[in-house]
Amino acid sequence: MASSTAAKSPITIRLCGPRGFCAGVDRAIQIVVLALKEFGAPVYVRHEIVHNRYVVEGLEAKGAIFVEELDEIPPEHRKQPVVFSAHGVPKSVPADADQRNLFYLDATCPLVSKVHKQAMRHHRLGRHVVLIGHAGHPEVIGTMGQLPEGAVSLIETVEDADAYVPPDPDNLGFVTQTTLSVDDTAGVIKRLHERFPNLTAPAADSICYATTNRQEAVKQAAPGCDLFLVVGAPNSSNSKRLVEVALRAGAKHAVLVQRASEIDWDGLGEIATVGLSAGASAPEVIVNEIIEAFRERYHAAVELADTVEENENFLVNRELRHVELTVADMAFVNGE
């Protein structure tokens, strides 16, 4: 680590853009914040609203209570809202909420909902659905849960595609998890098409624009980086993919960190160029925290590595659109 008394070594930080919150994550957090303003605490949230501990703890401080299942909501709070996470939920979850007479707000990302509709369309047209994604991820569980058991087969890798034995090879349609590596997914789809020429693609690409954009920005910034940092949680699929993309694109070393305190400052060695990006559920305040931590230790110049500008905005639920959302309401994740 550079000593505070010694001359600071110069480094360049390549700050990727786009980075951090996508429109779907921003909307999901806004829904919880607005529900707290409109209905008061507690507001229950089923599963992590997004995969980021800092965001979850920030919402808990405002009065949100996170549960894994609806039966954890005590009877005296059943009039309070429960929010479904941005990853989407199986159809059984809103059905369970209705049966329990709970008031729920669905914060499923509209792009995840689009994948649900694509899968249902394949099924309606008599196709067996192949879902390319990661087993156990909440989005995958939610997508598979849109259709009857046995109607969807999960494929994770090219090896899975090689071994897959479908019920009807001529009647298949595929969709993908929204947060996958674009390059890895292309390889799986290519292999499936080679084996099953009649495989039907969805009407539109399932991997969301934000995932693609963040991966492209990292690809552009990574060559020549001695270190590439991705801000994100260990259970964030899109964040982990950014680390992989950085390494493939030429970064010498790439790691996932949740806070500046996780960086191995003593083990960095001699570095001249650091890449910095953030997964779609990582707040900008942590990006700023990491830049400041570098400035404390190095003479750091920030170089913007922008590719495209994102201006998507997804509306919150109708029940909340009349509630004012201020900069102060979101300062805990966006900064002042």
Side-chain angles (χ1 to χ4, degrees), residues 199-211:
L199 176 71
T200 304
D205 192 2
S206 297
I207 297 178
C208 87
Y209 76 90
T211 299

Side-chain angles (χ1 to χ4, degrees), residues 275-326:
L276 180 58
S277 185
S281 49
E284 186 67 5
V285 290
I286 299 181
V287 174
N288 294 335
E289 172 189 283
I290 287 172
I291 292 171
E292 287 309 308
F294 270 100
R295 283 179 168 152
E296 288 171 11
R297 296 162 170 84
Y298 298 89
H299 183 66
V302 176
E303 176 185 285
L304 298 180
D306 293 340
T307 51
V308 299
E309 184 180 339
E310 292 178 350
N311 49 25
E312 285 78 5
N313 180 46
F314 298 144
L315 291 174
V316 299
N317 313 66
R318 279 193 174 84
E319 298 94 328
L320 300 172
R321 288 179 196 169
H322 66 282
V323 186
E324 183 188 10
L325 184 74
T326 68

Side-chain angles (χ1 to χ4, degrees), residues 70-208:
L70 300 181
D71 61 9
E72 296 173 48
I73 300 172
E76 63 269 23
H77 286 162
R78 288 195 175 165
K79 298 280 188 215
Q80 291 297 106
V82 56
V83 180
F84 300 153
S85 82
H87 309 101
V89 294
K91 281 186 173 179
S92 58
V93 173
D96 185 25
D98 287 334
Q99 191 173 6
R100 294 173 186 276
N101 204 25
L102 297 173
F103 167 45
Y104 63 86
L105 296 163
D106 191 351
T108 300
C109 173
L111 299 179
V112 174
S113 296
K114 183 182 80 172
V115 174
H116 291 177
K117 289 170 186 166
Q118 292 168 343
M120 289 188 281
R121 183 174 185 272
H122 281 318
H123 182 67
R124 189 172 67 250
L125 294 173
R127 301 172 192 140
H128 184 81
V129 178
V130 175
L131 170 60
I132 302 167
H134 297 298
H137 190 279
E139 185 186 325
V140 165
I141 293 168
T143 300
M144 295 184 79
Q146 303 306 304
L147 296 174
E149 194 167 344
V152 184
S153 296
L154 181 64
I155 300 287
E156 294 194 67
T157 63
V158 172
E159 290 73 24
D160 289 345
D162 278 330
Y164 178 51
V165 180
D168 181 354
D170 293 322
N171 251 330
L172 296 173
F174 79 86
V175 294
T176 78
Q177 185 179 330
T178 63
T179 56
L180 299 179
S181 159
V182 175
D183 294 338
D184 286 349
T185 307
V188 175
I189 293 169
K190 180 174 180 286
R191 187 69 191 106
L192 286 169
H193 272 303
E194 287 169 354
R195 292 197 61 212
F196 313 110
N198 293 330
L199 176 71
T200 304
D205 192 2
S206 297
I207 297 178
C208 87

